[in-house]
Amino acid sequence: MKFFIDTADIQEIRHANERGWVDGVTTNPSLVAKVGRPMREVIKEICQTVSGPVSAEVLSTAKDDMYKEGMELAKIHDNVVVKIPMTEDGLVVVKKFKAEGIRTNVTLVFSPLQALLVAKAGGTMVSPFVGRLDDISTPGMDLIHQIKTIYDNYDFSTEILVASIRHNVHILESAMMGADIVTVPFKVMQNMIPHPLTDKGLDIFLKDAQKIVK
Ligand code: E4P
């Protein structure tokens, strides 16, 4: 399973990258706004920092505008994956980009049938938002199971990129279900490290190390 980091914060990306947690990066307009820098500049810097795919989202919604904008984003760096919203116009653009060899990530996916349409249009990645479904009392991980079943049934090559991850259980279940990618906020990645028995065990080893005969 590939690990992407869900942030536009270059410090977080560098930090996670040093620890081997970054196979790619996803950004969205909210994450880019949060860092208070021009989008092109941020995307370029991220691409120079990591070696995997970097999702950069179009800000327009009409198909011709999305196409032009996506083309400009794709020119920033070979690793840019154009992020397109799950709309009818969005699917038209995904199909066009597929024919032109430009990779896409279709975002804001909340149903298995939306994901089926993404695969039919030739999306490189599909981003189902599990946390936002949980927020409205709809089990987000059920959606991943449904998409995985559909994609396996028909051998679709679109990669399932589990998005809107809020905690470790989302990551664990994604791995158990065989999702291709998880995109994880930095804080959640860090939460995967500690275990009380690791701390306790290390404490005992360090104490016993003092007793080793020299
Ligand atoms: C995915 O690519 C999105 O950037 C992201 O996962 C959205 O997550 P949120 O629901 O925490 O905003």
Side-chain angles (χ1 to χ4, degrees):
M1 183 169 67
K2 286 176 268 186
F3 260 61
F4 288 4
I5 184 166
D6 197 26
T7 185
D9 182 326
I10 198 74
Q11 299 309 332
E12 286 186 351
I13 293 168
R14 288 213 173 99
H15 200 91
N17 204 22
E18 270 180 6
R19 285 151 185 75
W21 300 340
V22 182
D23 298 313
V25 179
T26 51
T27 67
N28 65 37
S30 311
L31 293 171
V32 176
K34 216 160 108 185
V35 298
R37 293 173 56 203
M39 177 157 158
R40 286 187 67 84
E41 188 184 297
V42 173
I43 297 298
K44 195 171 171 188
E45 194 174 0
I46 296 173
C47 289
Q48 288 163 348
T49 307
V50 302
S51 52
V54 176
S55 288
E57 189 160 340
V58 295
L59 306 178
S60 43
T61 51
K63 59 175 180 274
D64 294 343
D65 297 337
M66 276 194 277
Y67 179 76
K68 271 187 225 144
E69 216 187 307
M71 277 301 210
E72 288 307 309
L73 290 171
K75 279 184 209 153
I76 297 176
H77 195 281
D78 280 353
N79 284 348
V80 168
V81 172
V82 181
K83 207 169 176 189
I84 308 272
M86 173 59 221
T87 61
E88 202 167 349
D89 272 12
L91 292 174
V92 174
V93 178
V94 167
K95 188 166 186 289
K96 257 178 125 172
F97 279 149
K98 167 79 179 170
E100 292 173 24
I102 292 174
R103 291 178 297 168
T104 53
N105 170 6
V106 180
T107 188
L108 293 167
V109 166
F110 293 95
S111 85
L113 294 183
Q114 287 181 322
L116 176 55
L117 293 178
V118 172
K120 301 278 303 167
T124 315
M125 299 165 197
V126 63
S127 286
F129 277 39
V130 294
R132 293 193 196 184
L133 280 170
D134 289 352
D135 290 346
I136 59 158
S137 306
T138 302
M141 291 311 297
D142 287 359
L143 174 60
I144 305 305
H145 180 68
Q146 289 170 318
I147 298 173
K148 178 76 180 138
T149 304
I150 293 168
Y151 282 12
D152 285 353
N153 281 348
Y154 299 100
D155 230 0
F156 285 123
S157 60
T158 303
E159 289 187 293
I160 303 173
L161 192 173
V162 184
S164 187
I165 282 189
R166 302 276 162 79
H167 49 70
N168 289 358
V169 179
H170 281 150
I171 302 172
L172 173 64
E173 290 185 350
S174 298
M176 299 292 290
M177 286 178 195
D180 302 285
I181 311 161
V182 285
T183 187
V184 187
F186 181 63
K187 275 194 182 142
V188 179
M189 281 187 176
Q190 281 186 308
N191 285 344
M192 294 172 70
I193 300 172
H195 193 286
L197 291 180
T198 306
D199 295 344
K200 195 178 164 195
L202 185 60
D203 218 37
I204 294 166
F205 284 156
L206 290 175
K207 276 190 192 117
D208 289 343
Q210 304 298 319
K211 301 175 203 159
I212 295 176
V213 178
K214 295 199 173 117

